[in-house]
């Protein structure tokens, strides 16, 4: 039997190399990729070695790469598929139907000894479909989507850096303009003055210029440093995502090549199919296209009121930090509160009235939208978390109301109540993506972005709808439901699962990522939900956290 196969799996790329020429191996030559397979010899040959073989054995049938489907499965491919992904020294021989996982003996011993549905692979081959044609097409589709995502992410990094450079140049130009204007005014005022007065004016001018420069150093330079830190953090996050894309792309490409080679070998087809589906699911999660339904296991109530609160809490916005701490925006008391992993308030800071919502900018920074209708001022207040302490940062002033906010790779999406705007991270309005004036108020109140940024979700409170938009603002889907009465809270998980709250219906729903259907009602009034206004998911604790018009938040443990 032909034993030419591939070289070992490369640890850096997980790539299974191509067929190797047996004749070159026999002569201890460097590994050479095979171009032909001889059916009678059951051996592989490169372009140089096939000629001597053909002269000596002219009647043998050989197949080139254009007929690679007639080549046997190489031993290295067989070994690669049979090797357990967790315990590399063991071979896969069982499948747990309960967890839908391939298992080696060590896996069964460690994790599946109590599972009642662990079956030998050999017993499954006749009962399970093993066709790989459809799977191959699905892999090609997902590969294309990952490539598109990588291109988009790389463009986001370039755009973010370009925007920061432009903004910093504008700020420096403004400082120079202020200096020039002041100096011109001084020159005009000094005309016709006596020598003593002129000397005094020059000294006064020097002091004022120095004051302007110092103000730039102390305020503007600090703001630029904060922005630079934001850019570095966001670029790091996007780069990490690009690396995940690259890794999954390599894995999918590898399996896409393998499924072309294993033919009708039922057991190999079954193993390859299960492994491929697992990788495809990882890719869909990365692409924000997971419709895995949350299963609520338990729920708990946690009080977030502090002694200095004057009014009942109204948790209008929430964010979960990477370390599992939770930030909540309390509209009732115009405060932002930091909760530890036990949901206890460990720090807080006051913000201008009235708080409308919150979104995460970097792993340690959030933006809170505040509106004071009496003074007609609308701002985004940036807040940084450092060693469990909250620090007020820069502030952006807007020319319209800010009812809801979301951020994706340096782009800000802001709801005005009747429109959705796209801004840069530094306050430059780029475009109006969507607008609805059919009702006098609250047609566009909250927004969220899919993990890949290709879909935007917005809530129309007055019309009781969840809308799904394309990246350019094109309306893709509209969803209404009696269980979604007075929608207020909206959140998209890192896997793309869409969560939305019905404020008047006292419900928390999970929607499909396309925004066209409801997948589950996760909680209702009987679970303690009352006037839910915000919702978020914590991957650290596998929990859905619900903020409401009360002093308590609800935490639902999910699977």
């Amino acid at each position: 039997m032909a034993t030419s196969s591939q070289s070992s799996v490369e640890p850096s790329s997980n790539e299974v190399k191509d067929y190797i020429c047996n004749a070159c191996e026999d002569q201890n030559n460097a590994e050479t990729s095979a171009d032909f397979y001889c059916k009678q010899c059951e051996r592989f040959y490169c372009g140089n070695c096939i000629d001597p073989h053909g002269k000596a054995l002219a009647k043998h049938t050989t197949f080139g790469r254009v007929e690679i489907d007639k080549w046997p499965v190489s031993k290295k491919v067989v070994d690669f598929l049979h090797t357990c992904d967790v315990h590399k020294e063991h071979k896969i021989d069982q499948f747990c139907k309960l967890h839908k996982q391939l298992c080696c003996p060590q896996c069964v011993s460690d994790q599946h000894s109590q599972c009642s549905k662990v079956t030998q692979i050999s017993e499954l081959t006749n009962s399970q479909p093993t066709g790989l044609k459809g799977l191959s097409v699905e892999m090609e589709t997902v590969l294309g989507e990952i490539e598109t995502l990588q291109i988009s992410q790389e463009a986001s990094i370039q755009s973010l850096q370009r925007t920061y450079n432009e903004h910093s140049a504008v700020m420096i130009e403004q400082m120079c303009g202020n200096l020039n204007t002041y100096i011109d005014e001084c020159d005009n005022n000094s005309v016709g003055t006596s020598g003593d007065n002129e000397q005094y004016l020059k000294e006064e001018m020097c002091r004022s210029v120095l004051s302007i420069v110092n103000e730039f150093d102390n305020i503007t330079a600090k703001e630029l440093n904060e922005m630079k830190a934001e850019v570095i953090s966001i670029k790091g996050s996007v780069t990490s995502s690009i690396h995940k894309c690259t890794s999954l792309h390599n894995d999918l490409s590898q399996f896409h090549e393998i499924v072309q080679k294993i033919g009708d070998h039922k057991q190999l087809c079954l193993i390859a199919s299960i492994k491929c589906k697992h990788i495809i699911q990882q890719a869909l999660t990365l692409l924000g296209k997971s419709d895995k339904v949350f299963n609520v296991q338990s729920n708990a109530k946690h009080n977030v009121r502090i002694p200095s609160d004057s009014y009942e809490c109204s948790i209008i916005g929430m964010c979960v930090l990477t370390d599992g701490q939770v930030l909540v925006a309390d509209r009732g008391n115009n405060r932002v509160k930091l909760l530890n992993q036990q949901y206890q308030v460990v720090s807080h800071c006051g913000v201008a009235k009235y708080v409308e919502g919150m979104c995460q900018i970097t792993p340690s920074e959030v933006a809170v939208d505040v509106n004071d209708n009496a003074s007609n001022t609308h701002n985004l207040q940036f807040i940084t978390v450092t060693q469990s302490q909250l620090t007020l940062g820069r502030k952006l002033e807007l020319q319209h109301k800010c009812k809801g906010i979301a951020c994706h790779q340096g782009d800000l999406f802001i709801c005005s109540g009747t429109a959705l705007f796209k801004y840069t991270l530094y306050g430059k309005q780029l475009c109006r993506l969507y607008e609805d004036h059919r009702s006098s108020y609250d047609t566009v109140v909250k927004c969220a972005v899919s993990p890949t940024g290709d879909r935007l979700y917005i809530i129309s409170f007055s019309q009781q709808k969840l809308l799904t938009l394309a990246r350019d603002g094109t309306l893709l889907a509209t969803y209404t439901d009696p269980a979604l009465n007075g929608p207020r809270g909206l959140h998209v998980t890192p896997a793309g699962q869409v969560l939305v709250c019905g404020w008047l219906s006292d419900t928390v729903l999970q929607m499909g990522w396309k925004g066209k259907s409801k997948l589950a009602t996760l909680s209702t009034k009987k679970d303690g939900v009352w006037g839910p206004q915000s919702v978020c998911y914590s991957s650290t604790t596998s929990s859905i956290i619900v903020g409401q018009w009360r002093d308590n938040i609800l935490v639902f443990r999910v699977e």
Side-chain angles (χ1 to χ4, degrees):
M1 190 70 184
T3 58
S4 102
S5 48
Q6 294 107 334
S7 62
S8 301
V9 176
E10 298 286 345
S12 60
S13 64
N14 261 356
E15 179 187 4
V16 177
K17 289 190 175 179
D18 207 352
Y19 292 83
I20 303 302
C21 175
N22 292 133
C24 289
E25 279 186 319
D26 293 344
Q27 299 170 25
N28 294 320
N29 292 338
E31 288 185 351
T32 307
S33 179
D35 298 308
F36 298 91
Y37 168 68
C38 176
K39 184 176 181 180
Q40 284 77 13
C41 296
E42 296 185 329
R43 285 168 63 84
F44 298 87
Y45 298 93
C46 65
N48 291 329
C49 296
I50 192 65
D51 290 337
H53 168 273
K55 292 177 181 177
L57 303 164
K59 293 184 179 181
H60 282 197
T61 303
T62 59
F63 302 103
R65 284 189 173 271
V66 293
E67 299 176 288
I68 201 168
D69 57 318
K70 297 180 181 178
W71 293 21
V73 182
S74 68
K75 182 177 181 300
K76 287 295 182 181
V77 168
V78 174
D79 290 344
F80 173 74
L81 288 175
H82 275 293
T83 299
C84 176
D85 292 334
V86 179
H87 309 101
K88 303 294 184 183
E89 69 279 12
H90 292 290
K91 300 295 182 183
I92 292 166
D93 61 356
Q94 298 174 79
F95 179 73
C96 177
K97 292 183 178 179
L98 181 64
H99 295 98
K100 297 181 180 179
Q101 290 180 354
L102 293 165
C103 309
C104 70
Q106 192 65 48
C107 291
V108 174
S109 174
D110 292 347
Q111 297 179 329
H112 304 277
S113 59
Q114 303 301 315
C115 298
S116 59
K117 296 183 179 180
V118 178
T119 309
Q120 292 291 323
I121 292 289
S122 57
E123 297 177 13
L124 291 174
T125 52
N126 292 326
S127 60
Q128 296 290 325
T130 56
L132 296 175
K133 185 175 181 181
L135 200 61
S136 179
V137 172
E138 187 176 2
M139 279 192 286
E140 287 179 3
T141 301
V142 174
L143 278 167
E145 292 182 352
I146 288 180
E147 288 170 1
T148 301
L149 176 59
Q150 283 179 292
I151 293 170
S152 173
Q153 289 172 328
E154 288 162 359
S156 293
I157 289 180
Q158 295 172 2
S159 174
L160 182 63
Q161 186 63 56
R162 185 167 56 251
T163 301
Y164 167 75
N165 292 341
E166 291 172 354
H167 188 72
S168 59
V170 168
M171 296 180 75
I172 294 172
E173 185 179 344
Q174 286 175 344
M175 182 204 70
C176 293
N178 292 338
L179 285 172
N180 290 332
T181 300
Y182 178 76
I183 292 170
D184 289 342
E185 290 176 355
C186 289
D187 285 342
N188 293 333
N189 292 335
S190 65
V191 175
T193 59
S194 64
D196 291 342
N197 287 336
E198 185 177 355
Q199 180 61 30
Y200 172 78
L201 286 173
K202 286 181 178 179
E203 291 174 358
E204 183 66 22
M205 183 175 70
C206 288
R207 283 192 292 270
S208 297
V209 168
L210 184 61
S211 175
I212 293 173
V213 173
N214 286 338
E215 182 181 4
F216 178 84
D217 287 340
N218 295 332
I219 300 176
T220 309
K222 178 178 178 292
E223 188 173 327
L224 281 174
N225 286 335
E226 290 177 356
M227 293 177 181
K228 185 175 182 180
E230 288 171 348
V231 171
I232 291 172
S233 180
I234 294 171
K235 285 173 67 175
S237 176
V238 179
T239 300
S240 174
S241 181
I242 291 174
H243 289 161
K244 291 178 183 177
C245 284
T246 302
S247 176
L248 278 171
H249 189 280
N250 289 342
D251 289 344
L252 282 168
S253 298
Q254 174 181 305
F255 271 95
H256 186 260
E257 183 178 343
I258 286 174
V259 298
Q260 314 300 319
K261 299 177 179 178
I262 56 181
D264 297 325
H265 194 298
K266 287 189 176 182
Q267 191 171 120
L268 290 182
C269 284
L270 178 62
I271 293 172
S273 173
I274 295 170
K275 285 192 172 186
C276 285
K277 288 176 181 177
H278 178 66
I279 295 173
I280 287 172
Q281 187 56 53
Q282 286 181 303
L284 291 176
T285 297
L286 184 66
L287 291 166
K289 294 184 176 181
S290 174
D291 270 342
K292 178 184 176 183
V293 178
F294 286 118
N295 181 21
V296 177
Q297 301 295 302
S298 63
N299 68 74
K301 188 183 296 184
H302 297 273
N303 193 296
V304 295
R305 185 179 180 86
I306 59 177
S308 55
D309 284 345
S310 302
Y311 304 98
E312 186 175 31
C313 297
S314 178
I315 307 304
I316 197 73
M318 292 191 293
C319 289
V320 179
L321 304 179
T322 51
D323 61 1
Q325 294 189 105
V326 181
L327 278 167
V328 299
D330 180 0
R331 178 183 171 87
N333 297 283
N334 291 313
R335 283 186 171 134
V336 173
K337 301 173 181 177
L338 178 66
L339 316 180
N340 61 19
Q341 292 189 17
Q342 288 71 48
Y343 306 103
Q344 301 165 327
V345 180
V346 295
S347 181
H348 63 89
C349 66
V351 294
K353 60 181 183 183
Y354 290 97
V355 180
E356 295 283 359
M358 173 194 293
C359 79
Q360 192 161 3
I361 304 299
T362 74
S364 61
E365 183 184 45
V366 299
V368 179
D369 45 0
V370 293
N371 295 280
D372 188 344
N373 294 329
S375 62
N376 196 31
T377 57
H378 316 287
N379 298 293
L380 291 185
Q381 174 67 66
F382 289 76
I383 299 175
T384 302
V385 183
T386 307
Q387 296 180 344
S388 296
Q389 294 298 312
L390 305 182
T391 304
L392 295 178
R394 62 193 180 91
K395 186 184 291 185
L396 294 180
E397 187 172 340
L398 304 176
Q399 301 304 310
H400 57 76
K401 289 183 180 180
C402 183
K403 307 280 286 185
I405 178 175
C407 181
H408 182 264
Q409 296 179 359
D411 289 327
L412 291 175
F413 300 91
I414 300 176
C415 302
S416 70
T418 56
L420 178 67
F421 295 93
K422 182 178 178 180
Y423 280 80
T424 69
L425 195 57
Y426 314 119
K428 180 182 178 182
Q429 188 182 121
L430 298 176
C431 62
R432 181 188 284 108
L433 287 167
Y434 180 82
E435 192 166 22
D436 186 348
H437 287 291
R438 285 176 292 176
S439 178
S440 59
Y441 72 104
D442 288 353
T443 55
V444 184
V445 293
K446 298 294 177 184
C447 60
V449 192
S450 68
T452 56
D454 61 337
R455 286 176 306 284
L456 300 162
Y457 303 94
I458 59 176
I459 281 176
S460 173
F461 179 80
S462 60
Q463 297 177 6
Q464 303 187 39
K465 294 178 180 178
L466 172 69
L467 308 176
T468 304
L469 312 178
R471 191 193 305 265
D472 62 0
T474 303
L475 182 62
L476 299 177
T478 301
Y479 181 82
T480 58
D481 192 319
L484 192 59
N485 188 2
R488 290 287 284 269
L490 178 64
H491 176 71
V492 180
T493 74
Q497 294 138 310
V498 182
L499 306 176
V500 60
C501 297
W503 182 52
L504 298 176
S505 53
D506 301 318
T507 53
V508 178
L509 310 181
Q510 180 180 345
M511 304 294 300
W513 65 269
K514 292 183 179 180
K516 296 180 178 180
S517 60
K518 177 177 69 177
L519 301 182
T521 299
L522 299 175
S523 57
T524 63
K525 200 167 188 174
K526 67 180 179 62
D527 303 307
V529 176
W530 190 87
Q533 302 186 95
S534 56
V535 61
C536 65
Y537 171 73
S538 170
S539 54
T540 305
T541 59
S542 297
S543 300
I544 293 173
I545 308 167
V546 180
Q548 41 191 4
W549 201 340
R550 285 191 170 183
D551 291 338
N552 299 314
I553 60 170
L554 300 176
V555 179
F556 297 88
R557 292 295 300 268
V558 295
E559 285 186 351

